[in-house]
Amino acid sequence: MAKIQHNQPLYEQLMWRIKAQVATSVLKVGDKLPSVREMALIEGLNPNTVAKAYKALEGQQVIETVAGKGTFVRQVDTVVDEKAINELRNDFNNMMIEAKRLQVTPEQLHQWIDEFYLEGQQ
């Protein structure tokens, strides 16, 4: 079962775990996800929570559901989503403000980025 973080809704936590698995190639394009009921059992969540996470991920074009076949990791569109990139940049700026406040060094930030990107290559 997933570690519960009280400051974030459970469906969002599941979304981020799935996105992280896609980003690190644990889940690849075309991989089938468990059904809503199966995922609910695996994660120890209510099926409605899983359905909400899946619906949000579909809206973000991370996954797609094919009627009668299941839910799959979707191919990333080649068209750049400027709105999503701008939102990411704003989130990044907020994170950098917090890192600076906590006196995290640029070297530490670079190390974290390198570690994250190397994770998917191992």
Side-chain angles (χ1 to χ4, degrees), residues 31-86:
D31 283 355
K32 185 175 182 182
L33 295 177
S35 70
V36 168
R37 289 179 191 267
E38 290 169 333
M39 184 65 86
L41 287 172
I42 292 166
E43 293 288 330
L45 297 171
N46 183 300
N48 292 332
T49 301
V50 175
K52 187 173 182 178
Y54 277 19
K55 183 174 181 174
L57 288 169
E58 281 190 77
Q60 295 174 8
Q61 301 181 357
V62 175
I63 62 174
E64 62 184 337
T65 300
V66 179
K69 294 191 178 193
T71 302
F72 302 87
V73 176
R74 183 181 167 148
Q75 175 70 42
V76 177
D77 288 339
T78 55
V79 176
V80 177
D81 185 345
E82 292 295 330
K83 182 181 177 196
I85 289 174
N86 287 334

Side-chain angles (χ1 to χ4, degrees), residues 8-43:
Q8 187 179 32
L10 294 173
Y11 84 95
E12 287 183 2
Q13 292 179 47
L14 177 59
M15 286 175 57
W16 281 108
R17 282 194 300 280
I18 292 170
K19 283 182 172 184
Q21 290 176 347
V22 172
T24 57
S25 298
V26 171
L27 287 172
K28 295 175 178 43
V29 172
D31 283 355
K32 185 175 182 182
L33 295 177
S35 70
V36 168
R37 289 179 191 267
E38 290 169 333
M39 184 65 86
L41 287 172
I42 292 166
E43 293 288 330

Side-chain angles (χ1 to χ4, degrees), residues 95-111:
M95 189 175 62
M96 291 298 97
I97 289 168
E98 189 65 10
K100 242 181 163 174
R101 187 186 72 77
L102 295 170
Q103 299 180 356
V104 176
T105 66
E107 293 78 18
Q108 183 65 53
L109 291 170
H110 285 283
Q111 181 182 345

